């Protein structure tokens, strides 16, 4: 399944997202900043990408994920876990980053700060009900399905 996603550069130094390899699921997003930004341990920052996108259908969404190298090696994660860019949003994509390590991390201009994956979205209809179907799990919550 191939889709065309229109990219609008909002600043001259913005970088169009690109997949690092033909097998990459995500396209890298780049920090569109003029000078380095240091994220102190426990701090949050919002990093602009300098781009806006057009997701062509409500049945698709753009989802922002952490880059594994930043997360595993430096403790730099997305502050909201996963970013969601809705199909009707046309503003600048910004990446919320947080530093969960005990060392400051400096984001450099044009550094790859996140990855964007275009995925299908089920546009479900929500209907209030007094009854839900029964399952073997039932109301078992966190950890109820076992450790392994």
């Amino acid at each position: 399944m191939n889709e065309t996603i229109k990219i609008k550069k909002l600043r001259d130094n913005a970088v169009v997202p690109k997949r690092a390899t033909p097998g990459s699921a995500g396209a890298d997003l780049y920090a569109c900043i003029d000078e380095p930004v240091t994220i102190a341990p426990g701090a949050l920052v919002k990093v602009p990408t300098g781009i806006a996108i057009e997701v062509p259908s409500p049945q698709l969404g753009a989802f922002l994920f952490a880059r594994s190298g930043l997360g595993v090696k430096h403790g730099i994660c997305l502050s909201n876990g996963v970013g969601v860019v809705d199909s009707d949003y046309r503003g600048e994509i910004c990446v919320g980053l947080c530093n969960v390590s005990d060392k400051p991390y400096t984001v450099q201009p044009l550094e790859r700060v996140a990855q964007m994956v275009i995925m299908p979205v089920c546009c479900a209809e929500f209907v209030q009900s007094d009854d839900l179907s029964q399952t073997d799990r039932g109301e078992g919550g966190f950890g109820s399905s076992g450790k392994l």
Side-chain angles (χ1 to χ4, degrees):
M1 169 187 205
N2 288 331
E3 291 289 339
T4 299
I5 305 296
K6 291 182 181 178
I7 306 291
K8 180 179 180 181
K9 288 176 71 169
L10 303 174
R11 288 181 224 143
D12 289 338
N13 61 335
V15 178
V16 173
K18 55 182 143 253
R19 293 167 46 230
T21 69
S24 296
D28 290 322
L29 294 176
Y30 298 79
C32 189
I33 52 179
D34 295 324
E35 56 190 39
V37 174
T38 297
I39 310 171
L44 307 173
V45 298
K46 187 168 79 171
V47 178
T49 64
I51 63 163
I53 66 172
E54 181 179 317
V55 177
S57 162
Q59 283 76 39
L60 295 172
F63 297 87
L64 311 184
F65 296 96
R67 295 195 67 247
S68 58
L70 285 178
V72 173
K73 294 178 184 176
H74 304 288
I76 303 302
C77 308
L78 268 63
S79 56
N80 56 340
V82 174
V84 178
V85 181
D86 299 311
S87 66
D88 57 353
Y89 179 66
R90 295 295 185 269
E92 182 174 18
I93 294 176
C94 292
V95 179
L97 295 176
C98 64
N99 184 346
V100 298
S101 79
D102 59 355
K103 296 178 180 74
Y105 181 82
T106 301
V107 177
Q108 299 296 327
L110 304 181
E111 181 175 348
R112 296 176 297 164
V113 292
Q115 55 185 321
M116 178 173 63
V117 179
I118 307 301
M119 295 190 298
V121 174
C122 178
C123 298
E125 179 181 344
F126 297 94
V127 178
Q128 182 177 341
S129 175
D130 293 330
D131 301 307
L132 301 177
S133 65
Q134 297 296 313
T135 66
D136 288 340
R137 182 175 181 175
E139 294 180 15
F142 298 106
S144 66
S145 62
K147 190 171 184 176
L148 296 177

